[in-house]
PDB file of all heavy atoms in Angstrom:
ATOM      1  N   ASP M  67      36.807   8.800   0.356  1.00 96.00           N
ATOM      2  CA  ASP M  67      36.718   8.266  -0.891  1.00 96.00           C
ATOM      3  C   ASP M  67      35.280   8.542  -1.502  1.00 96.00           C
ATOM      4  O   ASP M  67      34.284   8.321  -0.712  1.00 96.00           O
ATOM      5  CB  ASP M  67      37.104   6.796  -0.961  1.00 96.00           C
ATOM      6  CG  ASP M  67      36.935   6.238  -2.415  1.00 96.00           C
ATOM      7  OD1 ASP M  67      37.816   6.397  -3.149  1.00 96.00           O
ATOM      8  OD2 ASP M  67      35.808   5.547  -2.631  1.00 96.00           O
ATOM      9  N   SER M  68      35.142   9.065  -2.771  1.00 96.00           N
ATOM     10  CA  SER M  68      33.852   9.392  -3.247  1.00 96.00           C
ATOM     11  C   SER M  68      32.896   8.169  -3.360  1.00 96.00           C
ATOM     12  O   SER M  68      31.688   8.331  -3.144  1.00 96.00           O
ATOM     13  CB  SER M  68      33.860  10.047  -4.624  1.00 96.00           C
ATOM     14  OG  SER M  68      35.026  10.657  -4.844  1.00 96.00           O
ATOM     15  N   ASP M  69      33.369   6.962  -3.634  1.00 97.00           N
ATOM     16  CA  ASP M  69      32.570   5.785  -3.724  1.00 97.00           C
ATOM     17  C   ASP M  69      32.009   5.516  -2.277  1.00 97.00           C
ATOM     18  O   ASP M  69      30.888   5.116  -2.092  1.00 97.00           O
ATOM     19  CB  ASP M  69      33.291   4.583  -4.203  1.00 97.00           C
ATOM     20  CG  ASP M  69      33.439   4.682  -5.748  1.00 97.00           C
ATOM     21  OD1 ASP M  69      32.658   5.317  -6.377  1.00 97.00           O
ATOM     22  OD2 ASP M  69      34.352   3.984  -6.292  1.00 97.00           O
ATOM     23  N   THR M  70      32.939   5.671  -1.275  1.00 97.00           N
ATOM     24  CA  THR M  70      32.510   5.421   0.118  1.00 97.00           C
ATOM     25  C   THR M  70      31.381   6.275   0.527  1.00 97.00           C
ATOM     26  O   THR M  70      30.381   5.918   1.085  1.00 97.00           O
ATOM     27  CB  THR M  70      33.658   5.726   1.058  1.00 97.00           C
ATOM     28  OG1 THR M  70      34.787   4.955   0.649  1.00 97.00           O
ATOM     29  CG2 THR M  70      33.281   5.369   2.492  1.00 97.00           C
ATOM     30  N   GLU M  71      31.474   7.603  -0.007  1.00 96.00           N
ATOM     31  CA  GLU M  71      30.366   8.610   0.251  1.00 96.00           C
ATOM     32  C   GLU M  71      29.050   8.085  -0.350  1.00 96.00           C
ATOM     33  O   GLU M  71      28.061   8.205   0.353  1.00 96.00           O
ATOM     34  CB  GLU M  71      30.730   9.889  -0.431  1.00 96.00           C
ATOM     35  CG  GLU M  71      31.172  11.006   0.530  1.00 96.00           C
ATOM     36  CD  GLU M  71      31.716  12.181  -0.234  1.00 96.00           C
ATOM     37  OE1 GLU M  71      31.301  12.429  -1.322  1.00 96.00           O
ATOM     38  OE2 GLU M  71      32.590  12.781   0.325  1.00 96.00           O
ATOM     39  N   VAL M  72      29.147   7.648  -1.603  1.00 98.00           N
ATOM     40  CA  VAL M  72      27.837   7.135  -2.192  1.00 98.00           C
ATOM     41  C   VAL M  72      27.378   5.877  -1.453  1.00 98.00           C
ATOM     42  O   VAL M  72      26.169   5.938  -1.060  1.00 98.00           O
ATOM     43  CB  VAL M  72      28.195   6.750  -3.733  1.00 98.00           C
ATOM     44  CG1 VAL M  72      26.939   5.990  -4.300  1.00 98.00           C
ATOM     45  CG2 VAL M  72      28.628   7.872  -4.515  1.00 98.00           C
ATOM     46  N   LEU M  73      28.219   5.001  -1.014  1.00 98.00           N
ATOM     47  CA  LEU M  73      27.745   3.909  -0.279  1.00 98.00           C
ATOM     48  C   LEU M  73      27.064   4.256   0.991  1.00 98.00           C
ATOM     49  O   LEU M  73      26.042   3.706   1.442  1.00 98.00           O
ATOM     50  CB  LEU M  73      28.862   2.861  -0.040  1.00 98.00           C
ATOM     51  CG  LEU M  73      29.381   2.225  -1.369  1.00 98.00           C
ATOM     52  CD1 LEU M  73      30.768   1.591  -1.189  1.00 98.00           C
ATOM     53  CD2 LEU M  73      28.364   1.071  -1.909  1.00 98.00           C
ATOM     54  N   LEU M  74      27.706   5.255   1.697  1.00 97.00           N
ATOM     55  CA  LEU M  74      27.185   5.708   3.022  1.00 97.00           C
ATOM     56  C   LEU M  74      25.812   6.407   2.856  1.00 97.00           C
ATOM     57  O   LEU M  74      24.871   6.207   3.621  1.00 97.00           O
ATOM     58  CB  LEU M  74      28.136   6.529   3.759  1.00 97.00           C
ATOM     59  CG  LEU M  74      29.460   5.868   4.239  1.00 97.00           C
ATOM     60  CD1 LEU M  74      30.371   6.903   4.838  1.00 97.00           C
ATOM     61  CD2 LEU M  74      29.024   4.808   5.382  1.00 97.00           C
ATOM     62  N   MET M  75      25.748   7.188   1.785  1.00 98.00           N
ATOM     63  CA  MET M  75      24.428   7.853   1.535  1.00 98.00           C
ATOM     64  C   MET M  75      23.350   6.884   1.323  1.00 98.00           C
ATOM     65  O   MET M  75      22.247   7.061   1.814  1.00 98.00           O
ATOM     66  CB  MET M  75      24.587   8.772   0.273  1.00 98.00           C
ATOM     67  CG  MET M  75      25.484  10.013   0.397  1.00 98.00           C
ATOM     68  SD  MET M  75      24.879  11.239   1.612  1.00 98.00           S
ATOM     69  CE  MET M  75      26.210  12.404   1.550  1.00 98.00           C
ATOM     70  N   PHE M  76      23.680   5.839   0.582  1.00 98.00           N
ATOM     71  CA  PHE M  76      22.614   4.813   0.383  1.00 98.00           C
ATOM     72  C   PHE M  76      22.273   3.981   1.557  1.00 98.00           C
ATOM     73  O   PHE M  76      21.153   3.474   1.733  1.00 98.00           O
ATOM     74  CB  PHE M  76      22.891   4.042  -0.992  1.00 98.00           C
ATOM     75  CG  PHE M  76      22.404   4.742  -2.244  1.00 98.00           C
ATOM     76  CD1 PHE M  76      23.326   5.434  -2.972  1.00 98.00           C
ATOM     77  CD2 PHE M  76      21.079   4.723  -2.598  1.00 98.00           C
ATOM     78  CE1 PHE M  76      22.737   6.160  -4.178  1.00 98.00           C
ATOM     79  CE2 PHE M  76      20.548   5.338  -3.681  1.00 98.00           C
ATOM     80  CZ  PHE M  76      21.469   6.079  -4.457  1.00 98.00           C
ATOM     81  N   ARG M  79      20.085   6.034   3.493  1.00 98.00           N
ATOM     82  CA  ARG M  79      18.772   6.157   2.693  1.00 98.00           C
ATOM     83  C   ARG M  79      17.950   4.918   2.910  1.00 98.00           C
ATOM     84  O   ARG M  79      16.694   5.049   3.084  1.00 98.00           O
ATOM     85  CB  ARG M  79      19.096   6.440   1.249  1.00 98.00           C
ATOM     86  CG  ARG M  79      17.925   6.706   0.356  1.00 98.00           C
ATOM     87  CD  ARG M  79      18.305   7.304  -0.885  1.00 98.00           C
ATOM     88  NE  ARG M  79      18.904   8.598  -0.661  1.00 98.00           N
ATOM     89  CZ  ARG M  79      19.950   9.143  -1.208  1.00 98.00           C
ATOM     90  NH1 ARG M  79      20.581   8.446  -2.249  1.00 98.00           N
ATOM     91  NH2 ARG M  79      20.440  10.279  -0.895  1.00 98.00           N
ATOM     92  N   THR M 103      17.727  11.261  -3.434  1.00 98.00           N
ATOM     93  CA  THR M 103      18.694  10.656  -4.231  1.00 98.00           C
ATOM     94  C   THR M 103      19.172  11.621  -5.443  1.00 98.00           C
ATOM     95  O   THR M 103      20.327  11.471  -5.860  1.00 98.00           O
ATOM     96  CB  THR M 103      18.057   9.392  -4.980  1.00 98.00           C
ATOM     97  OG1 THR M 103      17.666   8.581  -3.862  1.00 98.00           O
ATOM     98  CG2 THR M 103      19.063   8.620  -5.866  1.00 98.00           C
ATOM     99  N   THR M 106      22.490  12.828  -4.475  1.00 98.00           N
ATOM    100  CA  THR M 106      23.679  11.941  -4.685  1.00 98.00           C
ATOM    101  C   THR M 106      24.174  12.035  -6.169  1.00 98.00           C
ATOM    102  O   THR M 106      25.336  12.105  -6.466  1.00 98.00           O
ATOM    103  CB  THR M 106      23.221  10.428  -4.412  1.00 98.00           C
ATOM    104  OG1 THR M 106      22.527  10.464  -3.162  1.00 98.00           O
ATOM    105  CG2 THR M 106      24.525   9.580  -4.309  1.00 98.00           C
ATOM    106  N   PHE M 107      23.183  12.127  -7.111  1.00 98.00           N
ATOM    107  CA  PHE M 107      23.561  12.319  -8.557  1.00 98.00           C
ATOM    108  C   PHE M 107      24.265  13.710  -8.695  1.00 98.00           C
ATOM    109  O   PHE M 107      25.249  13.771  -9.469  1.00 98.00           O
ATOM    110  CB  PHE M 107      22.300  12.200  -9.427  1.00 98.00           C
ATOM    111  CG  PHE M 107      21.961  10.782  -9.703  1.00 98.00           C
ATOM    112  CD1 PHE M 107      20.823  10.250  -9.072  1.00 98.00           C
ATOM    113  CD2 PHE M 107      22.538  10.091 -10.637  1.00 98.00           C
ATOM    114  CE1 PHE M 107      20.420   8.952  -9.268  1.00 98.00           C
ATOM    115  CE2 PHE M 107      22.112   8.699 -10.933  1.00 98.00           C
ATOM    116  CZ  PHE M 107      21.148   8.199 -10.257  1.00 98.00           C
ATOM    117  N   GLN M 110      27.768  13.701  -5.454  1.00 98.00           N
ATOM    118  CA  GLN M 110      28.734  12.640  -5.734  1.00 98.00           C
ATOM    119  C   GLN M 110      28.998  12.494  -7.208  1.00 98.00           C
ATOM    120  O   GLN M 110      30.030  12.255  -7.732  1.00 98.00           O
ATOM    121  CB  GLN M 110      28.358  11.348  -5.006  1.00 98.00           C
ATOM    122  CG  GLN M 110      28.614  11.424  -3.525  1.00 98.00           C
ATOM    123  CD  GLN M 110      27.705  12.291  -2.744  1.00 98.00           C
ATOM    124  OE1 GLN M 110      26.456  12.408  -2.872  1.00 98.00           O
ATOM    125  NE2 GLN M 110      28.358  13.142  -1.910  1.00 98.00           N
ATOM    126  N   GLY M 111      27.793  12.428  -8.017  1.00 98.00           N
ATOM    127  CA  GLY M 111      27.904  12.210  -9.447  1.00 98.00           C
ATOM    128  C   GLY M 111      28.585  13.500 -10.119  1.00 98.00           C
ATOM    129  O   GLY M 111      29.665  13.346 -10.700  1.00 98.00           O
ATOM    130  N   SER M 114      31.677  15.207  -7.448  1.00 96.00           N
ATOM    131  CA  SER M 114      32.804  14.385  -7.248  1.00 96.00           C
ATOM    132  C   SER M 114      33.158  13.488  -8.416  1.00 96.00           C
ATOM    133  O   SER M 114      34.073  12.586  -8.210  1.00 96.00           O
ATOM    134  CB  SER M 114      32.739  13.561  -5.875  1.00 96.00           C
ATOM    135  OG  SER M 114      32.496  14.447  -4.804  1.00 96.00           O
ATOM    136  N   ARG M 115      32.364  13.501  -9.362  1.00 97.00           N
ATOM    137  CA  ARG M 115      32.547  12.759 -10.610  1.00 97.00           C
ATOM    138  C   ARG M 115      32.526  11.204 -10.526  1.00 97.00           C
ATOM    139  O   ARG M 115      33.142  10.548 -11.137  1.00 97.00           O
ATOM    140  CB  ARG M 115      33.949  13.167 -11.263  1.00 97.00           C
ATOM    141  CG  ARG M 115      34.009  14.615 -11.667  1.00 97.00           C
ATOM    142  CD  ARG M 115      35.090  14.772 -12.680  1.00 97.00           C
ATOM    143  NE  ARG M 115      35.134  16.164 -13.226  1.00 97.00           N
ATOM    144  CZ  ARG M 115      35.956  17.137 -12.855  1.00 97.00           C
ATOM    145  NH1 ARG M 115      36.791  16.955 -11.907  1.00 97.00           N
ATOM    146  NH2 ARG M 115      35.876  18.293 -13.520  1.00 97.00           N
ATOM    147  N   VAL M 116      31.642  10.750  -9.614  1.00 98.00           N
ATOM    148  CA  VAL M 116      31.436   9.367  -9.517  1.00 98.00           C
ATOM    149  C   VAL M 116      30.491   9.080 -10.736  1.00 98.00           C
ATOM    150  O   VAL M 116      29.513   9.601 -10.980  1.00 98.00           O
ATOM    151  CB  VAL M 116      30.599   8.971  -8.223  1.00 98.00           C
ATOM    152  CG1 VAL M 116      30.155   7.464  -8.260  1.00 98.00           C
ATOM    153  CG2 VAL M 116      31.498   9.241  -6.969  1.00 98.00           C
ATOM    154  N   PRO M 117      30.869   7.906 -11.551  1.00 98.00           N
ATOM    155  CA  PRO M 117      30.064   7.562 -12.729  1.00 98.00           C
ATOM    156  C   PRO M 117      28.620   7.348 -12.270  1.00 98.00           C
ATOM    157  O   PRO M 117      28.284   6.488 -11.408  1.00 98.00           O
ATOM    158  CB  PRO M 117      30.713   6.287 -13.227  1.00 98.00           C
ATOM    159  CG  PRO M 117      32.058   6.282 -12.672  1.00 98.00           C
ATOM    160  CD  PRO M 117      31.986   7.009 -11.294  1.00 98.00           C
ATOM    161  N   PRO M 118      27.634   8.054 -13.007  1.00 97.00           N
ATOM    162  CA  PRO M 118      26.238   7.815 -12.779  1.00 97.00           C
ATOM    163  C   PRO M 118      25.751   6.437 -12.681  1.00 97.00           C
ATOM    164  O   PRO M 118      24.865   6.063 -11.922  1.00 97.00           O
ATOM    165  CB  PRO M 118      25.573   8.756 -13.711  1.00 97.00           C
ATOM    166  CG  PRO M 118      26.535   9.692 -14.247  1.00 97.00           C
ATOM    167  CD  PRO M 118      27.899   8.992 -14.024  1.00 97.00           C
ATOM    168  N   SER M 119      26.369   5.549 -13.489  1.00 98.00           N
ATOM    169  CA  SER M 119      25.934   4.180 -13.523  1.00 98.00           C
ATOM    170  C   SER M 119      26.055   3.495 -12.216  1.00 98.00           C
ATOM    171  O   SER M 119      25.260   2.606 -11.879  1.00 98.00           O
ATOM    172  CB  SER M 119      26.695   3.390 -14.618  1.00 98.00           C
ATOM    173  OG  SER M 119      28.081   3.516 -14.327  1.00 98.00           O
ATOM    174  N   ARG M 120      27.160   3.861 -11.460  1.00 98.00           N
ATOM    175  CA  ARG M 120      27.225   3.357 -10.096  1.00 98.00           C
ATOM    176  C   ARG M 120      26.148   3.717  -9.197  1.00 98.00           C
ATOM    177  O   ARG M 120      25.596   2.936  -8.402  1.00 98.00           O
ATOM    178  CB  ARG M 120      28.568   3.745  -9.481  1.00 98.00           C
ATOM    179  CG  ARG M 120      29.762   3.175 -10.204  1.00 98.00           C
ATOM    180  CD  ARG M 120      31.025   3.366  -9.403  1.00 98.00           C
ATOM    181  NE  ARG M 120      32.141   3.004 -10.251  1.00 98.00           N
ATOM    182  CZ  ARG M 120      33.317   3.303 -10.153  1.00 98.00           C
ATOM    183  NH1 ARG M 120      33.756   3.932  -8.954  1.00 98.00           N
ATOM    184  NH2 ARG M 120      34.272   2.907 -10.945  1.00 98.00           N
ATOM    185  N   ILE M 121      25.754   5.043  -9.287  1.00 98.00           N
ATOM    186  CA  ILE M 121      24.705   5.553  -8.459  1.00 98.00           C
ATOM    187  C   ILE M 121      23.406   4.890  -8.818  1.00 98.00           C
ATOM    188  O   ILE M 121      22.563   4.521  -7.953  1.00 98.00           O
ATOM    189  CB  ILE M 121      24.569   7.123  -8.549  1.00 98.00           C
ATOM    190  CG1 ILE M 121      25.958   7.603  -8.176  1.00 98.00           C
ATOM    191  CG2 ILE M 121      23.530   7.654  -7.616  1.00 98.00           C
ATOM    192  CD1 ILE M 121      26.036   9.197  -8.358  1.00 98.00           C
ATOM    193  N   GLU M 122      23.200   4.719 -10.215  1.00 98.00           N
ATOM    194  CA  GLU M 122      21.982   4.051 -10.625  1.00 98.00           C
ATOM    195  C   GLU M 122      21.841   2.604 -10.122  1.00 98.00           C
ATOM    196  O   GLU M 122      20.694   2.144  -9.797  1.00 98.00           O
ATOM    197  CB  GLU M 122      21.978   4.044 -12.191  1.00 98.00           C
ATOM    198  CG  GLU M 122      21.510   5.387 -12.779  1.00 98.00           C
ATOM    199  CD  GLU M 122      21.948   5.554 -14.167  1.00 98.00           C
ATOM    200  OE1 GLU M 122      22.536   4.645 -14.881  1.00 98.00           O
ATOM    201  OE2 GLU M 122      21.810   6.650 -14.719  1.00 98.00           O
ATOM    202  N   THR M 123      22.997   1.923 -10.046  1.00 98.00           N
ATOM    203  CA  THR M 123      22.958   0.526  -9.556  1.00 98.00           C
ATOM    204  C   THR M 123      22.435   0.560  -8.171  1.00 98.00           C
ATOM    205  O   THR M 123      21.630  -0.297  -7.794  1.00 98.00           O
ATOM    206  CB  THR M 123      24.344  -0.053  -9.642  1.00 98.00           C
ATOM    207  OG1 THR M 123      24.798  -0.030 -10.949  1.00 98.00           O
ATOM    208  CG2 THR M 123      24.308  -1.419  -9.064  1.00 98.00           C
ATOM    209  N   LEU M 124      23.002   1.423  -7.285  1.00 98.00           N
ATOM    210  CA  LEU M 124      22.529   1.402  -5.909  1.00 98.00           C
ATOM    211  C   LEU M 124      21.039   1.933  -5.768  1.00 98.00           C
ATOM    212  O   LEU M 124      20.233   1.513  -4.961  1.00 98.00           O
ATOM    213  CB  LEU M 124      23.408   2.382  -5.021  1.00 98.00           C
ATOM    214  CG  LEU M 124      24.773   1.719  -4.842  1.00 98.00           C
ATOM    215  CD1 LEU M 124      25.717   2.720  -4.107  1.00 98.00           C
ATOM    216  CD2 LEU M 124      24.663   0.458  -3.966  1.00 98.00           C
ATOM    217  N   GLU M 125      20.726   2.951  -6.684  1.00 98.00           N
ATOM    218  CA  GLU M 125      19.354   3.470  -6.627  1.00 98.00           C
ATOM    219  C   GLU M 125      18.419   2.295  -6.856  1.00 98.00           C
ATOM    220  O   GLU M 125      17.357   2.175  -6.155  1.00 98.00           O
ATOM    221  CB  GLU M 125      19.250   4.528  -7.687  1.00 98.00           C
ATOM    222  CG  GLU M 125      17.805   5.121  -7.756  1.00 98.00           C
ATOM    223  CD  GLU M 125      17.682   6.066  -8.931  1.00 98.00           C
ATOM    224  OE1 GLU M 125      18.268   5.776 -10.044  1.00 98.00           O
ATOM    225  OE2 GLU M 125      17.017   7.059  -8.769  1.00 98.00           O
ATOM    226  N   ALA M 126      18.694   1.449  -7.816  1.00 98.00           N
ATOM    227  CA  ALA M 126      17.811   0.338  -8.208  1.00 98.00           C
ATOM    228  C   ALA M 126      17.593  -0.643  -7.093  1.00 98.00           C
ATOM    229  O   ALA M 126      16.643  -1.188  -6.763  1.00 98.00           O
ATOM    230  CB  ALA M 126      18.314  -0.396  -9.510  1.00 98.00           C
ATOM    231  N   TRP M 127      18.791  -0.951  -6.438  1.00 98.00           N
ATOM    232  CA  TRP M 127      18.863  -1.895  -5.357  1.00 98.00           C
ATOM    233  C   TRP M 127      18.088  -1.350  -4.153  1.00 98.00           C
ATOM    234  O   TRP M 127      17.255  -2.057  -3.581  1.00 98.00           O
ATOM    235  CB  TRP M 127      20.416  -2.104  -4.928  1.00 98.00           C
ATOM    236  CG  TRP M 127      20.543  -3.048  -3.759  1.00 98.00           C
ATOM    237  CD1 TRP M 127      19.636  -3.963  -3.296  1.00 98.00           C
ATOM    238  CD2 TRP M 127      21.857  -3.238  -3.065  1.00 98.00           C
ATOM    239  NE1 TRP M 127      20.279  -4.708  -2.226  1.00 98.00           N
ATOM    240  CE2 TRP M 127      21.539  -4.260  -2.009  1.00 98.00           C
ATOM    241  CE3 TRP M 127      23.063  -2.625  -3.045  1.00 98.00           C
ATOM    242  CZ2 TRP M 127      22.497  -4.667  -1.163  1.00 98.00           C
ATOM    243  CZ3 TRP M 127      24.002  -3.002  -2.170  1.00 98.00           C
ATOM    244  CH2 TRP M 127      23.712  -4.081  -1.211  1.00 98.00           C
ATOM    245  N   VAL M 128      18.338  -0.064  -3.777  1.00 98.00           N
ATOM    246  CA  VAL M 128      17.751   0.426  -2.530  1.00 98.00           C
ATOM    247  C   VAL M 128      16.285   0.909  -2.713  1.00 98.00           C
ATOM    248  O   VAL M 128      15.426   0.641  -1.789  1.00 98.00           O
ATOM    249  CB  VAL M 128      18.612   1.611  -2.002  1.00 98.00           C
ATOM    250  CG1 VAL M 128      17.951   2.471  -0.943  1.00 98.00           C
ATOM    251  CG2 VAL M 128      19.902   1.108  -1.422  1.00 98.00           C
ATOM    252  N   GLN M 129      15.959   1.352  -3.921  1.00 98.00           N
ATOM    253  CA  GLN M 129      14.669   2.030  -4.135  1.00 98.00           C
ATOM    254  C   GLN M 129      13.743   1.171  -5.046  1.00 98.00           C
ATOM    255  O   GLN M 129      12.597   1.462  -5.005  1.00 98.00           O
ATOM    256  CB  GLN M 129      14.802   3.444  -4.743  1.00 98.00           C
ATOM    257  CG  GLN M 129      15.535   4.420  -3.750  1.00 98.00           C
ATOM    258  CD  GLN M 129      15.789   5.710  -4.533  1.00 98.00           C
ATOM    259  OE1 GLN M 129      16.917   6.203  -4.338  1.00 98.00           O
ATOM    260  NE2 GLN M 129      14.894   6.251  -5.173  1.00 98.00           N
ATOM    261  N   ARG M 177      19.280  16.597 -14.494  1.00 98.00           N
ATOM    262  CA  ARG M 177      18.281  15.680 -13.992  1.00 98.00           C
ATOM    263  C   ARG M 177      16.883  16.255 -14.184  1.00 98.00           C
ATOM    264  O   ARG M 177      15.958  15.622 -14.575  1.00 98.00           O
ATOM    265  CB  ARG M 177      18.550  15.411 -12.484  1.00 98.00           C
ATOM    266  CG  ARG M 177      19.682  14.496 -12.368  1.00 98.00           C
ATOM    267  CD  ARG M 177      19.835  13.684 -11.121  1.00 98.00           C
ATOM    268  NE  ARG M 177      18.759  12.907 -10.661  1.00 98.00           N
ATOM    269  CZ  ARG M 177      18.537  11.613 -11.089  1.00 98.00           C
ATOM    270  NH1 ARG M 177      19.242  11.126 -12.057  1.00 98.00           N
ATOM    271  NH2 ARG M 177      17.546  10.882 -10.586  1.00 98.00           N
TER     272      ARG M 177
END
Side-chain angles (χ1 to χ4, degrees):
D67 175 82
S68 334
D69 284 338
T70 307
E71 252 171 34
V72 174
L73 291 163
L74 290 174
M75 291 293 178
F76 274 99
R79 186 161 296 140
T103 304
T106 315
F107 281 100
Q110 282 66 51
S114 303
R115 298 198 170 101
V116 173
S119 59
R120 292 192 192 166
I121 304 174
E122 280 159 6
T123 301
L124 288 173
E125 180 187 37
W127 180 16
V128 166
Q129 292 172 227
R177 287 198 58 80

